mmCIF file of all heavy atoms in Angstrom:
data_model
loop_
_atom_site.group_PDB
_atom_site.id
_atom_site.type_symbol
_atom_site.label_atom_id
_atom_site.label_comp_id
_atom_site.label_asym_id
_atom_site.label_seq_id
_atom_site.Cartn_x
_atom_site.Cartn_y
_atom_site.Cartn_z
ATOM 1 N N GLY A 15 0.333 -22.843 -6.518
ATOM 2 C CA GLY A 15 1.119 -24.074 -6.543
ATOM 3 C C GLY A 15 0.460 -25.179 -5.754
ATOM 4 O O GLY A 15 -0.516 -24.979 -5.065
ATOM 5 N N GLU A 16 1.029 -26.356 -5.844
ATOM 6 C CA GLU A 16 0.552 -27.530 -5.106
ATOM 7 C C GLU A 16 1.748 -28.244 -4.508
ATOM 8 O O GLU A 16 2.805 -28.324 -5.118
ATOM 9 C CB GLU A 16 -0.198 -28.496 -6.035
ATOM 10 C CG GLU A 16 -1.486 -27.940 -6.603
ATOM 11 C CD GLU A 16 -2.553 -27.674 -5.544
ATOM 12 O OE1 GLU A 16 -2.595 -28.384 -4.528
ATOM 13 O OE2 GLU A 16 -3.328 -26.732 -5.742
ATOM 14 N N GLY A 17 1.598 -28.798 -3.307
ATOM 15 C CA GLY A 17 2.664 -29.563 -2.679
ATOM 16 C C GLY A 17 3.736 -28.675 -2.087
ATOM 17 O O GLY A 17 3.629 -27.455 -2.077
ATOM 18 N N PRO A 18 4.806 -29.287 -1.561
ATOM 19 C CA PRO A 18 5.871 -28.511 -0.928
ATOM 20 C C PRO A 18 6.636 -27.667 -1.937
ATOM 21 O O PRO A 18 6.684 -27.988 -3.116
ATOM 22 C CB PRO A 18 6.769 -29.577 -0.312
ATOM 23 C CG PRO A 18 6.297 -30.884 -0.785
ATOM 24 C CD PRO A 18 4.995 -30.695 -1.503
ATOM 25 N N GLY A 19 7.228 -26.597 -1.441
ATOM 26 C CA GLY A 19 8.031 -25.719 -2.287
ATOM 27 C C GLY A 19 7.509 -24.302 -2.249
ATOM 28 O O GLY A 19 6.691 -23.941 -1.414
ATOM 29 N N ILE A 20 7.970 -23.496 -3.159
ATOM 30 C CA ILE A 20 7.546 -22.099 -3.213
ATOM 31 C C ILE A 20 6.128 -22.046 -3.751
ATOM 32 O O ILE A 20 5.804 -22.630 -4.763
ATOM 33 C CB ILE A 20 8.508 -21.272 -4.089
ATOM 34 C CG1 ILE A 20 9.898 -21.279 -3.448
ATOM 35 C CG2 ILE A 20 7.992 -19.856 -4.259
ATOM 36 C CD1 ILE A 20 10.968 -20.626 -4.284
ATOM 37 N N ASP A 21 5.279 -21.343 -3.042
ATOM 38 C CA ASP A 21 3.881 -21.194 -3.412
ATOM 39 C C ASP A 21 3.554 -19.718 -3.276
ATOM 40 O O ASP A 21 4.375 -18.916 -2.874
ATOM 41 C CB ASP A 21 3.016 -22.053 -2.469
ATOM 42 C CG ASP A 21 1.621 -22.301 -3.007
ATOM 43 O OD1 ASP A 21 1.303 -21.800 -4.100
ATOM 44 O OD2 ASP A 21 0.856 -22.983 -2.329
ATOM 45 N N GLY A 22 2.371 -19.343 -3.596
ATOM 46 C CA GLY A 22 1.980 -17.949 -3.456
ATOM 47 C C GLY A 22 0.495 -17.792 -3.593
ATOM 48 O O GLY A 22 -0.227 -18.749 -3.856
ATOM 49 N N GLY A 23 0.034 -16.598 -3.395
ATOM 50 C CA GLY A 23 -1.379 -16.302 -3.516
ATOM 51 C C GLY A 23 -1.580 -14.839 -3.844
ATOM 52 O O GLY A 23 -0.689 -14.019 -3.657
ATOM 53 N N LEU A 24 -2.745 -14.522 -4.339
ATOM 54 C CA LEU A 24 -3.097 -13.143 -4.663
ATOM 55 C C LEU A 24 -4.379 -12.794 -3.936
ATOM 56 O O LEU A 24 -5.310 -13.602 -3.884
ATOM 57 C CB LEU A 24 -3.323 -12.997 -6.173
ATOM 58 C CG LEU A 24 -2.143 -13.353 -7.072
ATOM 59 C CD1 LEU A 24 -2.585 -13.341 -8.531
ATOM 60 C CD2 LEU A 24 -1.011 -12.377 -6.866
ATOM 61 N N MET A 25 -4.429 -11.605 -3.387
ATOM 62 C CA MET A 25 -5.649 -11.125 -2.750
ATOM 63 C C MET A 25 -5.679 -9.609 -2.822
ATOM 64 O O MET A 25 -4.647 -8.982 -3.093
ATOM 65 C CB MET A 25 -5.729 -11.609 -1.301
ATOM 66 C CG MET A 25 -4.537 -11.267 -0.453
ATOM 67 S SD MET A 25 -4.489 -12.162 1.096
ATOM 68 C CE MET A 25 -5.384 -11.082 2.155
ATOM 69 N N ARG A 26 -6.832 -9.025 -2.609
ATOM 70 C CA ARG A 26 -6.960 -7.572 -2.653
ATOM 71 C C ARG A 26 -6.174 -6.937 -1.511
ATOM 72 O O ARG A 26 -6.062 -7.489 -0.431
ATOM 73 C CB ARG A 26 -8.421 -7.172 -2.540
ATOM 74 C CG ARG A 26 -9.231 -7.589 -3.735
ATOM 75 C CD ARG A 26 -10.629 -6.962 -3.648
ATOM 76 N NE ARG A 26 -11.471 -7.439 -4.709
ATOM 77 C CZ ARG A 26 -11.495 -6.931 -5.946
ATOM 78 N NH1 ARG A 26 -10.708 -5.927 -6.255
ATOM 79 N NH2 ARG A 26 -12.291 -7.426 -6.859
ATOM 80 N N ARG A 27 -5.658 -5.730 -1.782
ATOM 81 C CA ARG A 27 -4.961 -4.976 -0.745
ATOM 82 C C ARG A 27 -5.950 -4.513 0.309
ATOM 83 O O ARG A 27 -7.078 -4.157 -0.001
ATOM 84 C CB ARG A 27 -4.293 -3.742 -1.343
ATOM 85 C CG ARG A 27 -3.163 -4.058 -2.268
ATOM 86 C CD ARG A 27 -2.618 -2.779 -2.865
ATOM 87 N NE ARG A 27 -1.652 -3.120 -3.883
ATOM 88 C CZ ARG A 27 -0.510 -2.497 -4.055
ATOM 89 N NH1 ARG A 27 -0.206 -1.462 -3.306
ATOM 90 N NH2 ARG A 27 0.315 -2.880 -4.985
ATOM 91 N N ALA A 28 -5.513 -4.480 1.550
ATOM 92 C CA ALA A 28 -6.341 -3.963 2.633
ATOM 93 C C ALA A 28 -6.253 -2.438 2.692
ATOM 94 O O ALA A 28 -7.132 -1.778 3.212
ATOM 95 C CB ALA A 28 -5.913 -4.568 3.959
ATOM 96 N N ALA A 29 -5.183 -1.877 2.149
ATOM 97 C CA ALA A 29 -4.975 -0.419 2.121
ATOM 98 C C ALA A 29 -4.204 -0.069 0.842
ATOM 99 O O ALA A 29 -3.444 -0.895 0.339
ATOM 100 C CB ALA A 29 -4.192 0.021 3.352
ATOM 101 N N PRO A 30 -4.397 1.134 0.319
ATOM 102 C CA PRO A 30 -3.731 1.515 -0.942
ATOM 103 C C PRO A 30 -2.209 1.415 -0.904
ATOM 104 O O PRO A 30 -1.578 1.121 -1.910
ATOM 105 C CB PRO A 30 -4.163 2.965 -1.161
ATOM 106 C CG PRO A 30 -5.412 3.122 -0.375
ATOM 107 C CD PRO A 30 -5.286 2.184 0.800
#
Side-chain angles (χ1 to χ4, degrees):
E16 295 295 329
I20 297 174
D21 197 359
L24 301 172
M25 55 193 270
R26 293 189 185 276
R27 292 177 188 221

